[in-house]
Amino acid sequence: MSFEVWLFTTTIVLCTAPWLAAPEWAWVGTPVLVAYLLRQLFLLIHLALLIRRHHRLIPPFPRGLWGEIYRSIAQYQQRGRKGRKRQIRFTRRFREAANAVPDGLVILDKQHRVEWANPAAATLMNVHWPEDDGRPLFEILNHPDLKDFVEVGESLRPMDFAPEHNRALMLSLRITPFGERKRQRLVVARDITKIYHLNMIRRDFVANASHELRTPLTVIAGFLESLIDASATPQNHRRPLSLMHNQAERMRLIIEDLLTLSRLEMHEHPEAQELVDVPDELHLILQEAHALSKGRHLFSTDVDENLLLLGSQPELRSAFSNLVFNAVKHTPEGTEIHVRWSALSDSLELRVEDNGPGIEPEHLPRLTERFYRIDKARSRESGGTGLGLAIVKHIMNRHDARLLIASEIGRGSTFSCVFPRARAILREEVEQATAPRAVPEPTTIEARSTPAPDTAGSHLDRGRRSAAC
């Protein structure tokens, strides 16, 4: 700053001194002023050219303020080079890590076209990058439900299917929205072929073992019941026989639930979709719950009688009854149980609430596991098999629904079945569609104004109307 001030002051003095001393010698200061202006113009043009050509600014720098400007720009350039090198190293490490991942990774743009894919995606999803850059994913990986799955972008529920390019594979796709307004998609494909075959073996084993155990268990339970009711049975034998019969009945319930789970796992969606009268089903379930409770619980309902549901009637009845009966079995006497069936803004909800003791938070994530019990002794006393909520979860998955569980110690628990709005059907719409249409009859005035036809024409018209009917 001092150098620039000294240079500017010297230029002014050299330009004005001759003009003040001798006006005829005023032109002597003009070269000094021109030299000063040319210096400023040269340094400005030189800096502009260096920046435009992306040249690196290196010392020596000019003196004065221009030197500070050159030095500051050089420091910005150095920081930018370090940032680019750091970004290049990060990008290289990211690509190396992504290429080493055994799962297929595909990044889609806002139009769901391929932007990038790792090498594993070529084997699992037949997506080759950069050859398939810009192609829609639906053209490469064909599946009827893939487009809706990607557009919805629900990251919690995977999609399992066998791709067309390799039917021996079983893929599990997960979608993660990201980017501006969550419009981009990260597709993760995992090879679950071994897990899928293991689950099939487990499912077949459970189904076959349960089916084979059913017959001998039925025979044993029948003979035990006969021995209990027989008059010749000694009195001291009746209690052991009753305990054996109770345990046989409990085993029968477990086998029935295992067979139900096996049937649910066979197919992803229900085979038959029908109109389910949910309010009527809930009323029947509540009657059974009253009988099961024997007056020990208080029931209240808030049921939308006009709201029906598209699904499988036996499966939905099994799921709803499981939730209501669990509230009766696993809550103490005097508990209030509230059942609600209503339509929300974008979904349908069946909610079963109670003000019982509640469930500890560490148990909530595992409640839908098979044979998982919070209090094993209490569950056995109430006749539970530990499979009820697992069955409910499978039924909800088959109906594109979710099972939500919330609980707070000392305030009770809430079990909610949330269905998509597309499955809702109003009762009044069904009644209007099935109502018979009335055929209008001719009025007396019209009959009088019509001239009487001849007999032959009358018989002919009557015959034509009969044929039309």
Side-chain angles (χ1 to χ4, degrees), residues 192-251:
I192 59 168
T193 306
K194 293 182 179 179
I195 299 175
Y196 177 76
H197 289 304
L198 287 174
N199 285 334
M200 288 185 62
I201 294 172
R202 174 190 56 80
R203 184 183 62 200
D204 294 340
F205 170 76
V206 170
N208 293 332
S210 302
H211 184 73
E212 293 298 328
L213 287 173
R214 178 194 283 179
T215 301
L217 191 61
T218 303
V219 174
I220 293 172
F223 280 114
L224 287 173
E225 188 174 356
S226 301
L227 289 174
I228 293 173
D229 296 336
S231 58
T233 302
Q235 190 65 30
N236 59 340
H237 291 176
R238 292 185 181 275
R239 185 174 180 278
L241 289 173
S242 299
L243 294 176
M244 294 167 63
H245 183 267
N246 292 336
Q247 294 302 317
E249 182 65 19
R250 180 170 173 272
M251 290 179 63

Side-chain angles (χ1 to χ4, degrees), residues 91-157:
T91 304
R92 187 182 299 114
R93 287 198 299 267
F94 169 76
R95 289 192 174 183
E96 290 175 355
N99 293 336
V101 172
D103 299 337
L105 304 177
V106 178
I107 295 178
L108 305 179
D109 60 9
K110 298 176 182 178
Q111 286 75 33
H112 303 155
R113 295 175 299 190
V114 176
E115 276 193 348
W116 176 85
N118 68 341
T123 305
L124 298 179
M125 294 187 286
N126 200 27
V127 178
H128 301 268
W129 192 81
E131 292 82 357
D132 293 329
D133 188 17
R135 290 185 61 190
L137 180 65
F138 320 120
E139 295 181 0
I140 306 171
L141 193 63
N142 294 324
H143 192 273
D145 300 330
L146 181 60
K147 186 174 182 179
D148 295 336
F149 183 69
V150 173
E151 289 178 352
V152 172
E154 186 177 355
S155 58
L156 298 178
R157 182 182 300 178

Side-chain angles (χ1 to χ4, degrees), residues 16 121 160 194 238 257 262 273 325 400:
T16 57
D160 302 338
K194 293 182 179 179
R238 292 185 181 275
D257 286 347
S262 299
Q273 298 279 341
F325 295 165
D400 303 321

Side-chain angles (χ1 to χ4, degrees), residues 3-310:
F3 175 79
E4 289 293 335
V5 171
W6 174 83
L7 186 62
F8 177 75
T9 304
T10 303
T11 303
I12 295 298
V13 170
L14 292 176
C15 290
T16 57
W19 183 79
L20 294 174
E24 63 274 10
W25 293 95
W27 59 270
V28 176
T30 303
V32 178
L33 180 61
V34 171
Y36 178 80
L37 295 177
L38 287 177
R39 177 182 180 272
Q40 305 296 328
L41 183 62
F42 169 77
L43 294 176
L44 178 62
I45 294 175
H46 183 251
L47 179 61
L49 290 176
L50 290 177
I51 294 176
R52 183 174 182 180
R53 296 172 182 175
H54 302 285
H55 286 184
R56 181 179 178 183
L57 299 182
I58 57 176
F61 300 125
R63 298 183 61 184
L65 287 178
W66 283 106
E68 290 297 324
I69 294 173
Y70 275 66
R71 190 173 294 105
S72 300
I73 295 177
Q75 292 174 357
Y76 280 115
Q77 287 181 339
Q78 185 177 6
R79 284 196 292 268
R81 286 192 299 270
K82 290 182 179 179
R84 285 193 296 272
K85 289 180 181 179
R86 187 163 50 248
Q87 186 177 6
I88 291 172
R89 287 196 301 268
F90 175 78
T91 304
R92 187 182 299 114
R93 287 198 299 267
F94 169 76
R95 289 192 174 183
E96 290 175 355
N99 293 336
V101 172
D103 299 337
L105 304 177
V106 178
I107 295 178
L108 305 179
D109 60 9
K110 298 176 182 178
Q111 286 75 33
H112 303 155
R113 295 175 299 190
V114 176
E115 276 193 348
W116 176 85
N118 68 341
T123 305
L124 298 179
M125 294 187 286
N126 200 27
V127 178
H128 301 268
W129 192 81
E131 292 82 357
D132 293 329
D133 188 17
R135 290 185 61 190
L137 180 65
F138 320 120
E139 295 181 0
I140 306 171
L141 193 63
N142 294 324
H143 192 273
D145 300 330
L146 181 60
K147 186 174 182 179
D148 295 336
F149 183 69
V150 173
E151 289 178 352
V152 172
E154 186 177 355
S155 58
L156 298 178
R157 182 182 300 178
M159 176 181 175
D160 302 338
F161 67 98
E164 289 187 357
H165 69 279
N166 189 356
R167 289 295 184 181
L169 282 176
M170 180 58 65
L171 295 183
S172 176
L173 287 188
R174 286 187 179 272
I175 305 295
T176 302
F178 73 100
E180 184 182 358
R181 297 182 180 180
K182 303 293 184 180
R183 295 178 62 184
Q184 290 182 268
R185 299 288 187 267
L186 173 63
V187 184
V188 182
R190 176 167 295 179
D191 183 5
I192 59 168
T193 306
K194 293 182 179 179
I195 299 175
Y196 177 76
H197 289 304
L198 287 174
N199 285 334
M200 288 185 62
I201 294 172
R202 174 190 56 80
R203 184 183 62 200
D204 294 340
F205 170 76
V206 170
N208 293 332
S210 302
H211 184 73
E212 293 298 328
L213 287 173
R214 178 194 283 179
T215 301
L217 191 61
T218 303
V219 174
I220 293 172
F223 280 114
L224 287 173
E225 188 174 356
S226 301
L227 289 174
I228 293 173
D229 296 336
S231 58
T233 302
Q235 190 65 30
N236 59 340
H237 291 176
R238 292 185 181 275
R239 185 174 180 278
L241 289 173
S242 299
L243 294 176
M244 294 167 63
H245 183 267
N246 292 336
Q247 294 302 317
E249 182 65 19
R250 180 170 173 272
M251 290 179 63
R252 186 189 66 80
L253 294 176
I254 293 176
I255 290 173
E256 292 295 335
D257 286 347
L258 286 173
L259 290 174
T260 301
L261 271 176
S262 299
R263 285 194 297 269
L264 294 175
E265 291 177 343
M266 289 296 293
H267 303 284
E268 187 176 354
H269 298 284
E271 297 179 359
Q273 298 279 341
E274 58 183 340
L275 191 62
V276 181
D277 192 340
V278 176
D280 185 53
E281 296 292 338
L282 290 177
H283 292 322
L284 295 176
I285 291 171
L286 287 170
Q287 290 179 7
E288 299 175 7
H290 278 284
L292 180 64
S293 173
K294 298 179 181 179
R296 294 182 292 109
H297 298 79
L298 302 176
F299 292 89
S300 62
T301 59
D302 182 10
V303 178
D304 188 350
E305 300 290 341
N306 194 37
L307 189 60
L308 310 182
L309 184 66
L310 184 65

Side-chain angles (χ1 to χ4, degrees), residues 352 354 358-359 364 367 404-408 412-416:
V352 180
D354 64 72
I359 304 171
L364 295 180
L367 283 180
L404 305 180
I405 304 174
S407 183
E408 188 176 348
S413 306
T414 302
F415 294 80
S416 303

